[in-house]
Amino acid sequence: MALIELSNIKRVYRLDGVDIFALRGISLKVEKGAFISIMGPSGSGKTTLMNIIGCLDRPTEGKYFLDGIDILSLNDDELSRIRNNKIGFVFQNFNLLPRSTVLENIELPLHYSRINQAEKRLRCEQIVEKIKLQDLIRRYPNQLSGGQQQKVAIARALVNKPDIILADEPTGNLDTRSGMEIMELISDLNKEGITVLLVTHEREIASYAKEIIHFRDGTIMRIDS
């Protein structure tokens, strides 16, 4: 059974009485441990697809199964639990809380988990050590470089031990060296068994993946392995 299974996914937005077709019937299977890059011009539907996979948006039509669960049958509370337990998000703009320390930002997803305080502390310690953030945990985001902020965002995405990382332009705001460091980190996480779906405009970044999906006008044009 595929970890992610999309069947004829369509997403239509209505704007000023006009239908805007963001996705035009996407069917896709993603196996556990996959590393997939999604490429395409702006407005081609890449982020819409990621939002649906991440349970942040619902399709207008189609079916979506995540680890055997019929996602479209779930209510908002159930979707929230799925997002918190199975999916880690990494964004271009980091999305860190500016008035919270590095450690507080990493801990944030654990506030919505039903684990005890000792387990929360252990998870934070493990992820801080894994991402090598020990010297930064008391700093605030504005005291960090872009690459350091993205590492904190990745640590936050990992603290709930998700099955999937969804990364939307994770190197878009970084210099070349920092971008390569982030991609090496994401690649290592994939080697440990985490499934990665990554949106990028950069061919060099996409080349880290095992497969590249080329998007245009809300459709999959081709898949390169």
Side-chain angles (χ1 to χ4, degrees), residues 51-220:
N51 286 342
I52 288 173
I53 291 174
C55 304
L56 297 171
D57 192 13
R58 292 179 182 266
T60 308
E61 185 179 323
K63 296 181 180 179
Y64 172 24
F65 290 89
L66 174 58
D67 206 12
I69 300 168
D70 182 358
I71 293 299
L72 304 185
S73 69
L74 303 183
N75 61 36
D76 288 345
D77 288 342
E78 291 167 331
L79 287 175
S80 181
R81 284 194 291 272
I82 289 284
R83 283 194 300 270
N84 204 45
N85 294 329
K86 287 187 171 291
I87 303 169
F89 298 90
V90 180
F91 302 98
Q92 178 177 349
N93 294 323
F94 318 134
N95 288 4
L96 302 179
L97 299 179
R99 297 183 181 179
S100 297
T101 65
V102 164
L103 185 59
E104 289 167 343
N105 269 283
I106 294 171
E107 288 176 336
L108 187 62
L110 296 177
H111 295 323
Y112 308 101
S113 299
R114 298 176 181 176
I115 59 177
N116 60 44
Q117 196 61 38
E119 175 66 14
K120 288 179 181 179
R121 187 162 53 248
L122 177 61
R123 286 198 188 185
C124 284
E125 289 173 354
Q126 289 174 335
I127 204 66
V128 163
E129 183 176 354
K130 184 184 190 68
I131 309 295
K132 298 180 174 58
L133 296 170
Q134 297 95 320
D135 297 336
L136 304 177
I137 58 172
R138 291 181 176 84
R139 294 191 189 180
Y140 291 86
N142 65 0
Q143 298 173 314
L144 306 178
S145 68
Q148 289 171 332
Q149 289 187 63
Q150 194 60 291
K151 286 181 180 179
V152 175
I154 290 172
R156 180 185 58 193
L158 291 173
V159 75
N160 264 338
K161 300 182 178 181
D163 299 320
I164 304 163
I165 291 289
L166 299 181
D168 195 350
E169 298 282 1
T171 63
N173 283 339
L174 304 179
D175 59 54
T176 301
R177 179 179 176 181
S178 297
M180 293 302 107
E181 289 178 359
I182 292 301
M183 288 311 303
E184 291 292 342
L185 174 56
I186 290 174
S187 183
D188 288 343
L189 294 171
N190 174 250
K191 290 172 184 174
E192 294 173 8
I194 294 178
T195 302
V196 177
L197 278 78
L198 180 148
V199 165
T200 183
H201 283 94
E202 302 176 62
R203 191 168 299 278
E204 187 174 5
I205 298 300
S207 67
Y208 279 85
K210 300 169 185 174
E211 290 184 318
I212 302 176
I213 296 177
H214 295 271
F215 245 66
R216 184 176 294 275
D217 297 329
T219 62
I220 294 174

